[in-house]
Amino acid sequence: MVAVGETGLDYVHERAPRAVQADAFRAHVRLARAAGLPLVVHNREAHDDVERILREEGAPSVVMHCFSGPPEIATRWAAMGWMLSFAGPLTFARADALREAARRVPADRLLIETDAPYLAPAPMRGRRCEPAFLVHTGRALAALTGVAEDALARVLAENGKRVFFGPRFVVR
Ligand SMILES: [Zn+2]
């Protein structure tokens, strides 16, 4: 086990009342803190409450999975030391605000992910997402940050190792 999650708040689907979601989220933050593990956070249109609960509970290291917030929030959360993970939507035609958000995140706070089986990146959009498609999301991130693809791939891999395996990870 390398992390607790994903957990968080979903105000789009709201399959549980917000108060119930908040209680479960708080319990997961405490669990991550007690276990000394990173917390992988799901957030759909719940930016303020997610941030408030993480601040109140004193969250350990945080990965914002499938980040979907505006650029100002990306700037603030990255400055707080949280990792921002971007998925297929980074490649979508109408996602200029999301690309601007990614542009504002320092390299050492960036991750990419599939969110498989959902959110396959362009040009695979609509298919069942799988790890092989991650290259398209990575290329989009390289293009918008101006970092060479190989260099960015190394940075992202190191970020992932650092967050999920920390000093226990041994490169072979
Ligand atoms: Zn999620």
Side-chain angles (χ1 to χ4, degrees):
M1 185 169 154
V2 298
V4 172
E6 61 181 273
T7 179
L9 304 176
D10 195 317
Y11 292 173
V12 174
H13 296 298
E14 269 194 272
R15 293 197 181 99
R18 293 187 180 191
V20 174
Q21 292 190 41
D23 285 348
F25 186 34
R26 285 183 190 280
H28 291 149
V29 180
R30 290 179 201 140
L31 176 65
R33 209 176 57 212
L37 291 171
L39 186 73
V40 179
V41 177
H42 172 103
N43 162 31
R44 294 291 307 278
E45 304 296 333
H47 313 305
D48 292 348
D49 287 349
V50 161
E51 181 176 326
R52 183 172 48 77
I53 287 173
L54 288 174
R55 284 178 184 275
E56 287 174 3
E57 298 294 339
S61 100
V62 169
V63 175
M64 286 295 172
H65 133 79
C66 199
F67 181 80
S68 61
E72 313 80 70
I73 288 182
T75 302
R76 186 167 74 243
W77 287 1
M80 288 163 60
W82 297 350
M83 303 295 293
L84 273 58
S85 180
F86 292 84
L90 202 63
T91 67
F92 295 175
R94 285 180 300 179
D96 286 334
L98 188 64
R99 281 185 283 273
E100 175 57 25
R103 214 174 272 124
R104 295 192 187 191
V105 179
D108 65 347
R109 295 280 170 257
L110 283 169
L111 290 171
I112 57 174
E113 64 175 86
T114 58
D115 200 28
Y118 310 109
L119 296 175
M124 302 301 181
R125 196 166 177 188
R127 292 173 58 179
R128 180 187 184 283
C129 195
E130 55 180 83
F133 297 172
L134 203 55
V135 67
H136 300 290
T137 305
R139 280 188 185 136
L141 189 59
L144 70 90
T145 55
V147 178
E149 289 177 11
D150 284 1
L152 182 63
R154 272 193 298 277
V155 168
L156 294 172
E158 287 303 322
N159 288 349
K161 290 178 204 169
R162 189 182 71 245
V163 171
F164 292 115
F165 300 98
R168 288 169 295 153
F169 188 80
V170 179
V171 180
R172 295 183 194 281

